[in-house]
Amino acid sequence: MALGRARRGERHIDYWPGFVDALSTLLLVFVFLLSVFVLAQFVLTQEIGSKDDAMARLQAQIRELTDLLALERANDADSESQIGALRASLLQLEQERDLLREAATSTATPEEMAEAKQRAATLSRELGNEQDAAAQAAAQIAILNQQISALRRQIAALEEALSISEQKDKESQSRLADLGRRLNVALAQRVQELTRYRSEFFGRLRTILGDRPDVRVVGDRFVFQSEIFFDPASAVVRPDAVSALDKLASALVQLEKEIPSDLAWVLRVDGHTDNRPISTPQFPSNWELSAARSIAVVSYLAQKGVSPQHLVAAGFGEYQPIDPGDSDEARARNRRIELKLTER
């Protein structure tokens, strides 16, 4: 009776590790989404930084051109002031010339006439010089006006370029946000698609293997007791385990034909041991033993036609027990081979 109860206890399905694995899968997906978000933020930060640098350069050019424009305006004001002074001086010289002409036409001595003529000649020369200076000042003002117009056109062009840069920055941020949304949707679709194929694959395995007490389903994994495939302290597949591996390989080959080629997936074969230490020339620790067993299963599946690109071997040693107990039954449960269909 005690033996019957022990066997029924071994057949009991422990759902808690399944929930743990489901939560682990969700955590991995969340970490992946967080990594994608961080990467998108980094790219956005880099692009915004380059845009900010370009905007800073444009604003510096605008400030420089504005300073030049203010300087040109100041020079223009000085020139206008000089022209005003020249015009006033010219008017005064013209008035003196008229007075001298009037004096020359009036009654005067020869000495006064000569002095008036000399004064008139001097005033005429000064008047000519003032007219030349006024002409030069007018030419300078015309050049300054042209320079001011050119500076205004440059400022307008820079402001337009700055506006275009800001618009492109907004468009880039919008594209990044849209890309993030698309990536999240695509990732969710891939996860759902892989989950569907995983359910179908495990359904086939249940049908193929039947109701065996040494094979359990724990969450999204198939758990085989190590004694099904290997002798104690050995990593050589037992002859009586070949039929079970052949069925597994056949199911995997059929699954490879059904899963789309663009869906990255692998069958991870995990080797686990109990907590009793081992130290042999071939296996210095339980890590080597668990890894050698998972590699043996993967190698056999590859020989039977399963693509090596869809196979992963992992050894966990005694560090991932599913039964924390220290009894023989607990150790037997921890000595196991697990199959998990997951994303690459």
Side-chain angles (χ1 to χ4, degrees):
M1 293 298 290
L3 179 60
R5 287 195 299 272
R7 289 181 177 177
R8 287 194 297 272
E10 290 180 354
R11 295 181 182 178
H12 176 67
I13 297 176
D14 189 0
Y15 293 100
W16 176 246
F19 292 123
V20 173
D21 290 332
L23 290 175
S24 300
T25 303
L26 291 176
L27 181 59
L28 289 174
V29 172
F30 175 76
V31 171
F32 178 75
L33 291 176
L34 183 60
S35 301
V36 171
F37 176 75
V38 171
L39 179 59
Q41 287 295 110
F42 175 75
V43 173
L44 179 60
T45 302
Q46 292 294 106
E47 186 172 353
I48 290 176
S50 62
K51 297 293 185 182
D52 290 340
D53 293 338
M55 291 174 64
R57 289 194 298 271
L58 290 175
Q59 290 175 352
Q61 292 179 0
I62 290 175
R63 288 193 298 270
E64 183 179 355
L65 291 174
T66 303
D67 294 339
L68 291 175
L69 181 59
L71 181 60
E72 295 295 341
R73 286 177 176 173
N75 292 334
D76 191 7
D78 292 339
S79 298
E80 291 287 349
S81 177
Q82 291 177 2
I83 289 176
L86 289 174
R87 286 175 178 173
S89 178
L90 181 61
L91 180 59
Q92 183 179 0
L93 289 174
E94 288 177 350
Q95 291 176 354
E96 290 182 1
R97 184 192 59 187
D98 294 338
L99 291 174
L100 288 174
R101 286 178 179 176
E102 291 178 359
T105 56
S106 63
T107 304
T109 63
E111 290 80 4
E112 291 177 349
M113 291 291 293
E115 184 181 357
K117 288 180 179 180
Q118 185 179 1
R119 179 60 178 168
T122 302
L123 290 176
S124 297
R125 287 194 301 271
E126 291 179 356
L127 181 60
N129 293 332
E130 294 292 342
Q131 290 176 346
D132 293 339
Q136 292 178 358
Q140 290 180 355
I141 290 176
I143 294 173
L144 289 174
N145 289 331
Q146 293 177 358
Q147 292 177 351
I148 290 173
S149 299
L151 288 174
R152 287 175 178 172
R153 288 194 295 270
Q154 291 181 3
I155 291 175
L158 288 174
E159 290 177 348
E160 183 179 1
L162 184 60
S163 177
I164 293 173
S165 176
E166 292 176 349
Q167 182 64 28
K168 288 183 178 179
D169 188 19
K170 293 180 181 178
E171 293 176 356
S172 298
Q173 293 179 1
S174 177
R175 286 197 299 268
L176 282 175
D178 184 62
L179 177 62
R181 288 192 296 269
R182 291 182 181 180
L183 184 60
N184 292 337
V185 172
L187 180 61
Q189 291 176 349
R190 290 301 183 185
V191 171
Q192 292 176 358
E193 190 173 359
L194 182 61
T195 302
R196 179 173 64 85
Y197 284 110
R198 177 166 43 197
S199 300
E200 294 178 359
F201 172 65
F202 283 170
R204 292 178 188 173
L205 284 186
R206 289 190 185 95
T207 303
I208 292 173
L209 298 175
D211 188 14
R212 297 182 53 170
D214 48 7
V215 179
R216 304 188 307 277
V217 178
V218 180
D220 58 351
R221 295 168 295 166
F222 257 91
V223 180
F224 299 82
Q225 295 306 126
S226 296
E227 287 77 9
I228 298 177
F229 302 116
F230 306 101
D231 291 328
S234 173
V236 179
V237 178
R238 295 172 52 181
D240 56 353
V242 170
S243 60
L245 288 177
D246 288 342
K247 294 176 182 178
L248 175 61
S250 177
L252 281 173
V253 170
Q254 182 64 30
L255 184 67
E256 286 182 325
K257 297 177 182 178
E258 297 176 0
I259 296 181
S261 59
D262 59 344
L263 183 61
W265 66 277
V266 291
L267 179 73
R268 200 179 75 191
V269 180
D270 299 337
H272 299 266
T273 66
D274 57 27
N275 60 358
R276 285 181 293 195
I278 183 174
S279 180
T280 65
Q282 186 178 6
F283 307 116
S285 69
N286 283 323
W287 258 330
E288 282 81 1
L289 177 59
S290 62
R293 286 177 171 177
S294 62
I295 291 173
V297 173
V298 165
S299 299
Y300 187 85
L301 295 176
Q303 293 174 4
K304 290 300 179 177
V306 180
S307 173
Q309 297 177 349
H310 293 150
L311 295 173
V312 173
F316 291 87
E318 71 269 25
Y319 299 106
Q320 299 291 333
I322 59 175
D323 193 330
D326 207 21
S327 62
D328 291 339
E329 292 80 5
R331 291 193 178 98
R333 287 168 58 84
N334 291 330
R335 295 190 301 271
R336 66 198 189 277
I337 297 293
E338 295 184 352
L339 304 179
K340 183 175 181 180
L341 192 67
T342 183
E343 59 271 10
R344 187 172 62 202

